Amino acid sequence: MQQEANKLSRRRILGVGLSAGAALLGELPLFAKENEMPPAPSQSAAAAQSTTFDSLKEIDAGLLRVSYAEVGPSNGKPVLLLHGWPYDIHSFAEVAPRLASEGYRVIVPYLRGYGSTRFLSAETVRNGQPSALALDLVALMDALHLDKAVLAGFDWGARTADIVAALWPERCKALVSVSGYLIGSQEAGKMPLPPKAELEWWYQFYFATERGRAGYERYRKEFANLIWKLASPKWNFDDQTFDRSAASFDNPDHVAIVIHNYRWRLGLAEGEKKYDDSEKQLAQAPSIRVPTITLEGDANGAPHPDPAAYAHKFSGKYQHRNITGGIGHNLPQEAPQAFAQAVIDVDRL
C-alpha cells in the first residue's frame, strides 16, 4: 500500500492552481474587484463563538468512511467547509457556529488522509490527485442527500470546491475560495517559475525525494508547525491550537496522500485512469459560473496568485475581498468573521 502511494505521488498543496495556476493564468492582464475588509476580531471575541467539534459523525461515501462535524439546524441551508494541508476541520471552529447561528446546516469533513476519515478498502490506491478529492466531495453530498450546497474552503479545500464548481456546477449553489482560482494540471506544473517563486515551493521538491517522504513520515508535526509559521507569519497561534489540529495527521493514510498529491502535480507519480476525463477538462482551465467570492489575506506567506490573474475565470456574479490585519494563509481560522460573512454574502449574490 505504501509502495502504491510512493509510486503514485506528488505535490503542490497550497495551490495545484497556485504555482501551476499562477503560472498558467498570470500572463493574462485582468483586474479583480477588490474590497478592503477590516481586521478580524480579537481572539477573545472570536472564542465566544467557537466549537471544539467534540462530537463527530461518520458516513460511507464513495471510497471512504467520512468523518465530519455538523452544526446548525438539520433543515438549514447546507454549507460544506473544506480544510487544506497541513490543517484540519478546526480551521472552521469559529466559522461554523457563526453560520449555524444564521440558520445554516454546516458540514465540515475530514478530507481523505486526515483525522478519522478512512478508506473502506485496504486495496484502494492512496491517491491524492485533485479529481479524486473533488469526487470524494460529490460522493459525500450524495450520501448526505444534498443536491446542492454552498462550498467554501482554503488550500486543498478551495481547490476541491473550485473543481466541483467548475465540473459539476449543478451541485454548487455558490462558492467561497481563498486565493481564488486554484485549478491546475500536470502540464501547467511543468512550467518553470522564476527562482524566487520556486523557492516558495521548496517542500514540493523535498517531497519528490524518498528522503522527503521519510522525513515527512518521521517529522510530520514539526513539518506542519513550520508550514503554519511560514504561511501565516503574523498569526500567533499557541501550542494548544496547533496540537488540536496536528492530531489529525496521525491518520494511517496521511503521508501517502500528501506525498502522492505533490508528486502527482509535478508529474512524478501516476494518477488513476478513472480520473483522466476530469483531469483533461481541468487542464483546459474551465470557467466557474456559480456566484463566487474570493478572499485573500494581506499577510499570506504561502505561494498564491495575484487576484488580477484569476478574476476572469469567474464568469458569474463575483467579488474579491482583501482581508487586512495581518491575515495569513489559514484565513478561516485567522479571520473567522470575514470568512463566515463571505459565505453568508455569496449565498445572497
Side-chain angles (χ1 to χ4, degrees):
M1 188 186 312
Q2 187 67 46
Q3 288 178 343
E4 281 184 318
N6 293 342
K7 176 186 175 187
L8 273 166
S9 283
R10 195 343 170 163
R11 160 348 256 167
R12 207 147 100 188
I13 140 190
L14 307 163
V16 146
L18 289 188
S19 81
L24 178 65
L25 301 174
E27 301 175 357
L28 300 175
L30 299 157
F31 298 92
K33 182 188 202 176
E34 297 184 320
N35 298 311
E36 296 292 337
M37 300 297 288
S42 67
Q43 284 202 342
S44 59
Q49 297 188 65
S50 65
T51 180
T52 56
F53 295 138
D54 288 331
S55 179
L56 297 178
K57 298 182 178 182
E58 291 187 342
I59 192 168
D60 289 356
L63 301 174
L64 304 171
R65 175 161 294 142
V66 178
S67 178
Y68 65 99
E70 182 174 344
V71 297
S74 60
N75 62 347
K77 291 186 290 186
V79 176
L80 280 86
L81 305 179
L82 307 171
H83 69 82
W85 173 88
Y87 306 94
D88 82 330
I89 63 174
H90 292 96
S91 290
F92 302 103
E94 294 169 17
V95 173
R98 284 177 163 87
L99 294 176
S101 69
E102 295 290 330
Y104 288 95
R105 180 188 179 189
V106 185
I107 297 162
V108 194
Y110 279 112
L111 303 184
R112 58 169 61 190
Y114 294 81
S116 44
T117 288
R118 296 289 187 273
F119 285 90
L120 294 172
S121 171
E123 304 304 316
T124 302
V125 175
R126 273 36 180 180
N127 185 343
Q129 73 185 97
S131 289
L133 273 72
L135 283 166
D136 286 347
L137 180 58
V138 174
L140 176 60
M141 293 178 67
D142 288 344
L144 293 171
H145 304 291
L146 301 176
D147 293 330
K148 182 176 287 193
V150 176
L151 307 180
F154 73 107
D155 197 74
W156 287 24
R159 181 176 308 108
T160 299
D162 285 354
I163 292 172
V164 173
L167 298 188
W168 300 282
E170 71 279 3
R171 307 304 298 270
C172 181
K173 185 177 187 296
L175 172 69
V176 172
S177 181
V178 175
S179 296
Y181 188 88
L182 301 183
I183 294 173
S185 68
Q186 287 183 324
E187 279 301 310
K190 293 177 182 178
M191 298 172 64
L193 302 173
K196 183 178 179 182
E198 296 283 19
L199 179 63
E200 293 180 329
W201 290 104
W202 64 272
Y203 51 86
Q204 80 177 338
F205 302 109
Y206 181 65
F207 286 161
T209 67
E210 181 56 24
R211 177 189 176 101
R213 189 210 62 78
Y216 189 60
E217 176 78 57
R218 182 172 181 179
Y219 298 111
R220 69 186 80 176
K221 292 183 180 178
E222 294 89 342
F223 200 103
N225 190 279
L226 174 62
I227 294 294
W228 279 34
K229 291 174 180 176
L230 293 175
S232 299
K234 297 185 179 182
W235 182 32
N236 295 317
F237 60 88
D238 57 24
D239 290 343
Q240 183 179 5
T241 298
F242 175 76
D243 291 342
R244 182 178 61 177
S245 289
S248 71
F249 312 146
D250 290 333
N251 183 296
D253 300 307
H254 178 75
V255 173
I257 294 297
V258 170
I259 297 299
H260 180 255
N261 179 278
Y262 288 105
R263 290 183 181 175
W264 181 90
R265 296 190 209 185
L266 290 184
L268 300 177
E270 296 177 358
E272 293 180 85
K273 289 187 178 299
K274 62 184 178 180
Y275 301 117
D276 283 356
D277 287 345
S278 294
E279 295 296 353
K280 287 178 183 177
Q281 293 180 67
L282 296 174
Q284 302 302 311
S287 294
I288 292 175
R289 305 190 305 271
V290 304
T292 300
I293 292 177
T294 57
L295 304 172
E296 191 58 78
D298 64 342
N300 187 356
H304 60 279
D306 188 282
Y310 56 70
H312 71 296
K313 300 307 298 182
F314 299 96
S315 58
K317 296 178 180 179
Y318 175 68
Q319 295 179 11
H320 175 77
R321 298 177 179 179
N322 288 327
I323 311 303
T324 61
I327 304 304
H329 187 65
N330 186 3
L331 194 149
Q333 197 161 1
E334 298 175 62
Q337 183 175 7
F339 190 90
Q341 191 61 52
V343 173
I344 295 167
D345 292 345
V346 81
D347 187 36
R348 298 169 178 169
L349 282 182

